[in-house]
Amino acid sequence: MGALGLVYFYACAALAVAGALAVVIAKNPIRGAMGLLLLILSVAGLFLALHAQFLAAIQLIVYAGAIVVLFLFVIMLLGPSSSTPSDGRGFATRAFGGGLFAIAGLGALGATWRAMGAWRHLPMASVEPGFGGIDAFGGVLFADALVPFELSSALLMVAVLGAIAIARGRQGLASLSRAELEVARTATAGGDPTGPEAGVFSHEIDLKEQPR
Amino acid sequence: MLSLFPVKDYALIAVILGMPLLGAFVNGIWGRRLGKPAVKMMALAAVGVSFLAAVCTFIALAQAVSDDRDARLSWTAWEWMHTTGRDATNVPVELKFSIDQLSGVMMLIVTGVGFLIHLYATSYMAEDKGYARFFAYMNLFIFSMLVLILGDNLVVLFVGWEGVGLCSYLLIGFWYDKTANAAAGKKAFIANRVGDFGLICAMFLLVQYTGALDWHGIANGAASLVDPSDFARVHVWPLSRGEYTGILSFLQPGYFQAHHVPFLQDHTPSAPVTISAATAVGLALLLGCTGKSAQIPLYVWLPDAMAGPTPVSALIHAATMVTAGVYLICRLCFVFVLSPFVMNVVAVVGVATAVLAATIALVQNDIKKVLAYSTVSQLGFMFLGVGVGAFAAGFFHVFTHAFFKACLFLGAGSVIHAMHARVHDDDQAQDIRNMGGLRKWLPLTHWTFFAATLAIIGFPFTSGFFSKDEILYRAFVDGTVNPLAGSSMLRHVGVYAPPPSLGVWLYGAAVFAATMTAFYMCRLYFLTFWGDFRGWTVGRPSLLAKQEAAHEPAHAEDHGDEDDEAVHEHHEDLATPGYPPHESPWQMTVPLVFLGAFSIFTGFLNPGLGVMTEKPMEHWLEPVFKAASDGAVVFRHGNDKVWAEHLEWPLTVGGIMAFLLGTLLAYWMYIARKGEPAERLAKAFPGLHQLVLDKWRVDELYEALPIGAVDSLAEASAAVDVALVDGFFARLTSLVVAASGTILRAFQTGVVHTYGAMMALGLAAVVWFLGMPHPKATIVDAGGGDYVIHAAPGVGYGYRWDGDGDGKPDTTDFGGETKLKVHLDPGKSTTVHLEVKNAFGLVKSAELHVERPAAPISSL
Amino acid sequence: MITVEHYVAVSALLFVIGGVGFLVRRNVLVTLMSIEVMLNAANLALVAFNRSRMAHAASQTYPGPSHTGQVFVFFIIAAEAAEVAVGLAIVLAMFRLRQTVRTDDADLLKN
């Protein structure tokens, strides 16, 4: 793998860190979501370097294809309200928390390096054929990890129900159909999807009409 | 009987005690629901069965005594507890009851007279709504009194002592909705409590000196109470046996003498002031007896106790409870005689109380108050009797007093019952100024009251005559000496000798008291039963107005006679004077007849004046008092028996003169002159009259001095409580709590990233803790002086020991050795260092101290 | 030569960035995305360790090297998808109530 492997690794790593920094630093949440997407793609690439093909595919399908999309949906729904003005409130607490966490994390990394000692420079073991493929995955998922597998399907169902219940709120079907109506109206009216008027919830009238 | 119940395990005692307790329990808990007839039956059955069992027991006792004069029937319920005496000896305290001649007689009195009074009370209290409660308390009282009498040791006696005190409180304050009654109950209980302090101190001293608390054990160990060695004496001054050297040491004896202070060195003791243990015990017991038997200084509760129902006064404050003090002195006679000083004190206290109470009774107007003071006075006579060593005579007076005083009280109750039907006011119904001529309407009551009065004033050949005159005689001729005076123990110590003419003074004062007794009792009798009835117009203002109008026609006023009549439940025609007082029902008169008869005839159980050669009761009680009378009670003039016998008839004549003088004076003053000389005297000396009427203002004195002191202390404490505790401490604690609340609330901002920051802080702390090495070790004793030190394991830990105490580690690098063995000689110790390095390369060390205890010293 | 420590370093760096972002940013959407970052970091570390030793576990049904780390990541992704869905639903509910996406403004529990 040699030099190509090194370059590939460092490229993916750099892109991942860049994406993470974008998520954390960007003021516009859309930019943050794009950073997240970049991170996910980079991590998928790193998975590929680690011979976890199936997992890389899953990462792309689920993360990039569903979760990031979901984030984008919500950010679009919120419209301009999704970005918050920045002021110095609570700066001391946040800086304290963040700084402490950074020190703790990096300290832990450093300590782990020292603890690993001679094991740090051990090369990776050679890959056996079939490692990381679908067959191997299936063999584990449906045999040893069958119970967690079934439980996770139950978990997903519960999550769906919960999300619907929470997002719907007290108004029930009425609010949902009104939002749908608004989307339909905006789409058919050919209004600019971007900008302040695009967000459904930014219509003052809607919000005021909904009973609390 | 004795074949059924052996002498050592006489279980019939359980029936005697258990029946009243059962009656109290049943009536107390289910009395209301059972209804009056059932309550009456239960109470009477309880005391009645107890009396029958007591009679059987007495017969059995007589049988046992005929074989062995020192026999006692005893029964042990269980072992209660044990305490430690001197030199760490074990003193067991058992719940044991025993009956000997003395307690046998007392037991018959308590249950017999108790039964008659219960019968009386079933009619007297018939309209009271607390009927069941009353009989529950009465039965409980009988039970407590029996426990007191039948107890075989001081602790069981004390249980009964407290029990009768409690029942006295409950029964005096029976009509508790009136504050005065409740206050009287409290006063009785508190006065008793002061006396109980004395009794408890006596118990402590007895267990310390004699090493036992039961009668047998105390008798055996009584000699150590008069041990003259300094160790066994009780130090009165100085209080700490002279070991105190602080700032008040100038108060120690010998200080002034050592420093040659001019006046004080001659008038203060130069050596510690000690008294013998017997004196200390005697004085402490005397305090207890004055509380229970209403002597100076604790008699003040008895007159107030008349606030209770009359059967209560008859049972508790005449026949049984107040004689408990005399009983205790008789029971512990062998302790009292060891200290002639205490005997003299007892006699003087008794005669002083007799005189004081008699003076107060002269002017009282409430029939029950007169009888109450009469009781106090007669108790003084009993104390006089036992104080001069005439234990049998004193106890015989207890016996006769029970009958005639109970008869007098029950008769007074009958009179009050009759008066109450006419005069609805409680206080006026008992006032003898409203009575008179009642012998026409209350014949049985009159004749029994008359019989009891004859007994109390000492009419010749009644029971009171024999008992009282015996006491007067013995007061004159008896002197007490310490029975161990001749023994070698006491030859080196100065022994108290009674003043030689004390007997004359005692006799004189007792005769004076007897004269006053005759006078006030005859006054009471004449004013109540003779003359004209003065109570027609009491409580009837309309009738009074009519009478006045009839006498003074010029001042005819309108008669407001509409309203009062409608209120009275007796529908009477007020044209006539109204219904006269009526005789009481048979439940009340039959006991009166019995008691009246006993008052007259029981004197012949212990008659003096040579009527019988051997007096039955004195002979019966002789073994009980033998320990006391042998050598302790002697005649004066050097134990001159002949001189004493010659004095018997003259001294009796003195007693008869007292009776005659008092009676004739009362007759002249109240019948011949119709009370006019008394009124003139009262007008001539108004201040003195009021003072005596106010009971010499002793209550007021007590209120001012001890009670006032306690009140001031209470007020001071209350002030401190309000200012310091409430003002300062309470506020301080609330301030601290509020402040810490304010501080803690600052963390609850409600904002998520604050909580996140806190979580990060916690995380950092955990990471730090996990990252640091922790050197911990436990030391295990492997025996034989070997100690193995185990270091606690950890992830990636390396260990370095320093076990030889040289300050340098034993190995240079950190190995995996987690154990270190150390050997120590006895009494030696060593310090071991442990250094731990964890995977992150951080090193921390700890110091361990290992010690081996020195070999134990032989514990022979 | 890329050894496991490289991957661990990347993972740690991503984790710290995500954690600091979570603690510092006040926009609730950004905090949720930071959580995603942290989870991705954890996933990376797991897969890296799983690859590094190629161990054969004794109690496996399917023969071959152990895939435990990767299966773990699989479940993490599944659970975490659920978590994102619910979290975004909460964001929407909060917005409907308070018209804000700032975490500072959700301080009803103050004091």
Side-chain angles (χ1 to χ4, degrees):
Chain A
M1 205 86 48
L4 191 58
L6 273 172
V7 167
Y8 180 74
F9 171 78
Y10 279 114
C12 286
L15 285 174
V17 172
L21 282 172
V23 168
V24 169
I25 292 174
K27 211 156 299 205
N28 192 343
I30 298 279
R31 301 243 168 88
M34 290 300 109
L36 185 65
L37 186 60
L38 179 62
L39 170 74
I40 284 162
L41 292 172
S42 324
V43 170
L46 285 173
F47 280 172
L48 280 174
L50 286 166
H51 288 266
Q53 305 96 306
F54 182 67
L55 215 47
I58 294 291
Q59 170 97 344
L60 285 172
I61 295 169
V62 174
Y63 255 114
I67 291 175
V68 174
V69 170
L70 195 55
F71 266 109
L72 284 171
F73 267 141
V74 173
I75 293 170
M76 294 301 187
L77 269 176
L78 294 180
S81 326
S82 60
S83 63
T84 61
S86 68
D87 55 23
R89 241 175 41 165
F91 178 73
T93 319
R94 291 181 290 130
F96 172 72
L100 203 56
F101 189 87
I103 292 169
L106 292 172
L109 176 67
T112 315
W113 269 354
R114 283 185 57 193
M116 281 169 77
W119 290 2
R120 274 168 59 187
H121 303 294
L122 271 179
M124 300 263 214
S126 52
V127 179
E128 289 182 25
F131 177 76
I134 286 190
D135 289 339
F137 238 94
V140 180
L141 265 187
F142 292 102
D144 296 321
L146 184 61
V147 174
F149 183 67
E150 302 298 335
L151 286 177
S152 63
S153 64
L155 172 71
L156 289 169
M157 185 146 54
V158 169
V160 168
L161 290 171
I164 294 176
I166 295 174
R168 184 172 292 193
R170 289 206 196 93
Q171 289 77 9
L173 273 165
S175 70
L176 205 53
S177 48
R178 203 175 300 153
E180 284 172 332
L181 281 172
E182 275 307 311
V183 167
R185 206 178 50 204
T186 315
T188 51
D192 191 351
T194 58
E197 294 80 16
V200 176
F201 279 97
S202 61
H203 280 259
E204 302 300 307
I205 309 154
D206 268 354
L207 299 169
K208 285 204 176 61
E209 278 169 4
Q210 285 163 4
R212 292 283 164 260
Chain B
M1 182 63 56
L2 276 182
S3 56
L4 262 179
F5 300 106
V7 169
K8 283 285 173 273
D9 188 23
Y10 195 77
L12 201 60
I13 295 177
V15 173
I16 301 177
L17 288 169
M19 281 305 294
L21 185 63
L22 179 69
F25 184 70
V26 168
N27 278 341
I29 298 193
W30 296 291
R32 281 258 203 95
R33 258 180 283 162
L34 289 173
K36 284 194 183 156
V39 165
K40 180 166 60 169
M41 200 56 50
M42 179 79 229
L44 286 176
V47 184
V49 168
S50 189
F51 175 64
L52 289 174
V55 168
C56 296
T57 307
F58 193 80
I59 297 171
L61 178 67
Q63 197 181 336
V65 160
S66 65
D67 297 328
D68 166 22
R69 294 216 73 202
D70 286 323
R72 299 179 118 122
L73 304 173
S74 64
W75 176 67
T76 311
W78 60 77
E79 174 165 324
W80 183 0
M81 57 180 167
H82 39 249
T83 178
T84 320
R86 187 158 62 176
D87 298 332
T89 52
N90 184 30
V91 179
V93 173
E94 296 171 319
L95 194 64
K96 186 172 176 190
F97 302 98
S98 70
I99 305 181
D100 64 352
Q101 292 94 331
L102 179 66
S103 43
V105 176
M106 269 309 270
M107 174 178 68
L108 283 179
I109 296 177
V110 169
T111 49
V113 175
F115 178 74
L116 289 173
I117 294 179
H118 272 74
L119 180 61
Y120 181 94
T122 54
S123 168
Y124 191 84
M125 302 292 292
E127 268 123 51
D128 198 293
K129 61 178 173 29
Y131 198 75
R133 182 165 60 103
F134 181 80
F135 280 104
Y137 290 161
M138 289 284 270
N139 276 359
L140 187 64
F141 171 80
I142 299 276
F143 167 71
S144 306
M145 191 70 203
L146 285 169
V147 167
L148 196 159
I149 299 169
L150 300 181
D152 189 57
N153 54 53
L154 264 173
V155 184
V156 177
L157 181 137
F158 191 64
V159 171
W161 190 273
E162 291 294 312
V164 296
L166 171 72
C167 294
S168 176
Y169 161 76
L170 289 171
L171 284 165
I172 293 172
F174 185 69
W175 292 310
Y176 51 81
D177 13 356
K178 288 224 189 84
T179 322
N181 299 342
K186 261 191 298 184
K187 188 172 179 180
F189 195 77
I190 294 174
N192 263 231
R193 221 56 196 113
V194 175
D196 293 344
F197 162 70
L199 185 54
I200 294 179
C201 286
M203 280 203 272
F204 293 157
L205 285 165
L206 279 171
V207 84
Q208 170 76 359
Y209 280 94
T210 61
L213 282 170
D214 55 304
W215 316 134
H216 199 67
I218 297 177
N220 282 346
S224 61
L225 283 171
V226 284
D227 191 339
S229 64
D230 181 67
F231 171 70
R233 307 275 299 182
V234 174
H235 281 239
V236 173
W237 192 263
L239 291 174
S240 67
R241 287 179 176 260
E243 289 155 13
Y244 174 72
T245 51
I247 195 165
L248 289 175
S249 59
F250 68 90
L251 290 175
Q252 311 277 29
Y255 181 89
F256 298 126
Q257 286 76 10
H259 290 82
H260 299 291
V261 177
F263 174 73
L264 289 169
Q265 72 176 349
D266 298 319
H267 290 89
T268 54
S270 58
V273 177
T274 62
I275 55 174
S276 74
T279 310
V281 170
L283 287 175
L285 283 172
L286 179 61
L287 184 62
C289 296
T290 55
K292 191 63 80 182
S293 293
Q295 299 296 296
I296 292 172
L298 294 172
Y299 70 92
V300 291
W301 62 271
L302 194 82
D304 282 33
M306 296 299 116
T310 312
V312 169
S313 307
L315 181 62
I316 298 186
H317 308 126
T320 44
M321 183 180 103
V322 292
T323 58
V326 185
Y327 170 77
L328 182 62
I329 298 183
C330 288
R331 179 52 83 197
L332 286 176
C333 54
F334 46 86
V335 169
F336 277 93
V337 298
L338 288 175
S339 173
F341 176 68
V342 171
M343 296 288 278
N344 286 150
V345 170
V346 170
V348 168
V349 163
V351 83
T353 310
V355 170
L356 179 73
T359 55
I360 303 178
L362 289 176
V363 298
Q364 296 297 319
N365 290 317
D366 183 333
I367 187 174
K368 284 179 76 174
K369 284 269 166 44
V370 176
L371 292 175
Y373 285 106
S374 166
T375 306
V376 176
S377 186
Q378 295 300 309
L379 287 167
F381 271 98
M382 293 176 217
F383 267 62
L384 172 64
V386 296
V388 295
F391 296 104
F395 186 72
F396 186 57
H397 200 59
V398 169
F399 184 74
T400 58
H401 176 263
F403 296 124
F404 59 68
K405 196 42 73 66
C407 185
L408 285 171
F409 265 110
L410 294 185
S414 184
V415 165
I416 293 170
H417 207 66
M419 288 290 290
H420 209 79
R422 271 211 64 84
V423 175
H424 295 289
D425 178 78
D426 280 336
D427 291 326
Q428 300 281 45
Q430 295 180 312
D431 197 328
I432 54 179
R433 294 171 293 193
N434 296 334
M435 303 178 192
L438 287 175
R439 62 186 171 150
K440 288 198 283 294
W441 301 296
L442 306 170
L444 266 175
T445 306
H446 166 243
W447 283 112
T448 51
F449 198 91
F450 179 62
T453 309
L454 286 182
I456 193 173
I457 62 182
F459 189 89
F461 300 108
T462 54
S463 63
F465 167 72
F466 283 123
S467 63
K468 203 191 307 187
D469 275 48
E470 171 100 20
I471 292 178
L472 292 177
Y473 165 60
R474 296 293 291 268
F476 192 84
V477 302
D478 269 359
T480 49
V481 296
N482 193 311
L484 300 172
S487 73
S488 58
M489 280 172 79
L490 291 180
R491 262 193 231 123
H492 311 290
V493 180
V495 178
Y496 166 82
S501 56
L502 184 65
V504 180
W505 284 103
L506 290 176
Y507 178 79
V511 166
F512 181 50
T515 314
M516 285 195 284
T517 303
F519 178 77
Y520 68 68
M521 282 310 298
C522 286
R523 166 179 177 262
L524 183 69
Y525 170 70
F526 290 138
L527 283 178
T528 307
F529 289 100
W530 287 30
D532 298 318
F533 186 58
R534 294 178 289 275
W536 295 119
T537 54
V538 176
R540 286 189 148 72
S542 60
L543 201 55
L544 186 59
K546 259 197 206 149
Q547 277 198 358
E548 282 174 356
H551 287 297
E552 298 167 69
H555 300 270
E557 238 87 45
D558 30 313
H559 316 294
D561 53 348
E562 310 84 22
D563 306 24
D564 323 62
E565 280 64 285
V567 177
H568 302 309
E569 49 266 27
H570 305 265
H571 302 288
E572 300 160 59
D573 177 13
L574 282 163
T576 69
Y579 287 123
H582 54 271
E583 181 62 273
S584 309
W586 69 268
Q587 290 98 335
M588 286 167 70
T589 51
V590 165
L592 281 175
V593 168
F594 271 103
L595 290 169
F598 286 147
S599 316
I600 302 287
F601 296 115
T602 48
F604 292 97
L605 279 175
N606 196 24
L609 300 179
V611 171
M612 291 186 188
T613 40
E614 191 184 27
K615 304 189 225 178
M617 182 162 283
E618 192 166 310
H619 180 72
W620 173 253
L621 291 173
E622 193 196 313
V624 179
F625 299 134
K626 177 172 49 137
S629 35
D630 280 355
V633 179
V634 295
F635 297 117
R636 289 191 297 129
H637 284 222
N639 204 7
D640 190 349
K641 196 153 184 245
V642 175
W643 164 82
E645 269 171 17
H646 279 162
L647 278 173
E648 190 170 2
W649 272 103
L651 292 173
T652 310
V653 165
I656 296 178
M657 294 311 300
F659 142 71
L660 278 174
L661 181 63
T663 311
L664 289 173
L665 195 61
Y667 183 83
W668 170 76
M669 204 184 270
Y670 290 102
I671 300 296
R673 293 295 164 89
K674 300 235 185 298
E676 185 232 327
E679 282 172 25
R680 264 197 297 127
L681 266 176
K683 283 200 183 61
F685 303 102
L688 184 65
H689 182 240
Q690 190 58 38
L691 183 65
V692 180
L693 192 59
D694 277 341
K695 311 160 279 171
W696 296 101
R697 310 239 172 91
V698 172
D699 277 323
E700 283 77 358
L701 180 72
Y702 283 177
E703 187 74 34
L705 288 182
I707 298 176
V710 173
D711 276 345
S712 319
L713 186 65
E715 266 157 44
S717 309
V720 167
D721 183 48
V722 167
L724 190 64
V725 176
D726 284 348
F728 181 64
F729 284 114
R731 293 226 186 99
L732 184 69
T733 44
S734 70
L735 196 70
V736 166
V737 171
S740 43
T742 309
I743 293 172
L744 287 173
R745 232 179 305 128
F747 287 102
Q748 304 291 319
T749 54
V751 183
V752 174
H753 53 247
T754 312
Y755 301 151
M758 292 300 124
M759 276 195 277
L761 181 64
L763 181 69
V766 170
V767 165
W768 180 86
F769 182 79
L770 289 176
M772 293 299 291
H774 296 285
K776 286 253 162 63
T778 48
I779 303 169
V780 174
D781 184 358
D786 287 330
Y787 293 90
V788 180
I789 306 171
H790 293 262
V795 173
Y797 274 18
Y799 306 91
R800 198 158 75 173
W801 296 91
D802 170 24
D804 43 19
D806 55 3
K808 289 204 297 286
D810 299 337
T811 58
T812 41
D813 16 278
F814 289 83
E817 186 56 55
T818 57
K819 290 203 284 269
L820 183 75
K821 196 155 101 162
V822 171
H823 181 83
L824 284 174
D825 292 326
K828 294 264 181 295
S829 65
T830 180
T831 310
V832 173
H833 290 269
L834 168 66
E835 281 171 315
V836 165
K837 182 165 154 190
N838 72 351
F840 302 122
L842 297 163
V843 177
K844 208 146 168 246
S845 74
E847 207 175 276
L848 301 145
H849 198 76
V850 186
E851 205 176 275
R852 184 172 177 188
I857 307 165
S858 160
S859 57
L860 283 172
Chain C
M1 167 81 72
I2 306 293
T3 56
V4 75
E5 65 169 0
H6 292 81
Y7 288 98
V8 168
V10 173
S11 163
L13 195 57
L14 287 176
F15 189 79
V16 167
I17 292 172
V20 170
F22 172 77
L23 287 170
V24 171
R25 289 300 301 264
R26 275 170 299 172
N27 190 333
V28 68
L29 290 163
V30 173
T31 42
L32 275 170
M33 287 195 280
S34 311
I35 295 174
E36 298 306 308
V37 171
M38 282 200 277
L39 280 162
N40 271 290
N43 291 351
L44 181 61
L46 277 164
V47 173
F49 277 117
N50 180 248
R51 159 76 179 88
S52 76
R53 300 301 306 151
M54 212 53 73
H56 280 247
S59 62
Q60 259 187 170
T61 315
Y62 193 79
S66 160
H67 286 80
T68 307
Q70 296 184 12
V71 170
F72 202 163
V73 170
F74 179 85
F75 286 120
I76 289 178
I77 292 175
E80 190 252 315
E83 172 227 324
V84 165
V86 177
L88 287 171
I90 291 175
V91 169
L92 284 179
M94 186 178 101
F95 183 80
R96 194 179 296 127
L97 197 60
R98 283 300 196 112
Q99 281 81 54
T100 177
V101 289
R102 287 181 59 157
T103 51
D104 300 45
D105 295 337
D107 61 354
L108 283 173
L109 284 176
K110 189 174 167 81
N111 288 342

